[in-house]
Amino acid sequence: LHQHGEYVEMLITDEVMPGMKGSQLLEIVHRRFPQMLKVMLTGQAGLDAVAHAINAAGLNKYFTKPWEYEDLQLSVRALIEKSRLSRQNTELNRELQSKYRELEDAYRKLSEAYRQLKETQDQLIHAEKLSLIGQLSSGIAHEVKNQLNMIAFAELIRDEYPDDTNI
């Protein structure tokens, strides 16, 4: 069944079977499919066989013969529900971890974008300061040039009218 993509959720076996003990079968199945639920029915096996099945085969539940049908039915349903919830929990944890990794990646990208934005902002502020210094320097140079032009113009006038004492 597993080879065809089917999922076997539970194996119920008797301890006494022809050719192989139920605990041996459970042990073999456990090695290949550890997540499979395993239940053993026993009338002849003592606690040693049950203890071996619990330790070596991950036995989930055992029933001694004669068992009550309602007890067996309730136990099987409870085990299957627990198994389904466990698988669902595992899947939800995988999804949560995946979303967490996506969130971490988005945070890294956002942090890098913020760093680049901050760097660009610092460069822009620096460029603005340089621009203001340039404008201020240009204004000062203009005022100095005006004063120098006035002096040059005054010297021209003085040279043009050297005898005029009012100039």
Side-chain angles (χ1 to χ4, degrees), residues 59-93:
L59 183 67
N60 298 99
K61 186 84 175 167
Y62 73 94
F63 290 91
T64 56
K65 293 179 187 176
W67 65 85
E68 293 292 325
Y69 175 77
E70 290 171 4
D71 289 342
L72 178 64
Q73 185 181 25
L74 286 173
S75 292
V76 166
R77 284 185 180 162
L79 285 170
I80 288 173
E81 181 63 20
K82 182 180 175 185
S83 173
R84 288 182 182 157
L85 288 173
S86 177
R87 283 194 317 277
Q88 184 180 18
N89 187 39
T90 300
E91 182 58 32
L92 288 172
N93 274 328

Side-chain angles (χ1 to χ4, degrees), residues 122-162:
D122 290 346
Q123 290 172 353
L124 185 60
I125 289 170
H126 183 70
E128 188 67 27
K129 287 178 182 178
L130 290 176
S131 174
L132 288 174
I133 290 172
Q135 289 174 6
L136 182 60
S137 299
S138 175
I140 291 171
H142 179 74
E143 291 300 320
V144 168
K145 184 177 176 190
N146 284 343
Q147 297 301 318
L148 291 176
N149 283 338
M150 292 286 278
I151 292 172
F153 186 65
E155 286 179 351
L156 271 174
I157 292 174
R158 185 189 62 180
D159 290 345
E160 192 67 31
Y161 304 99

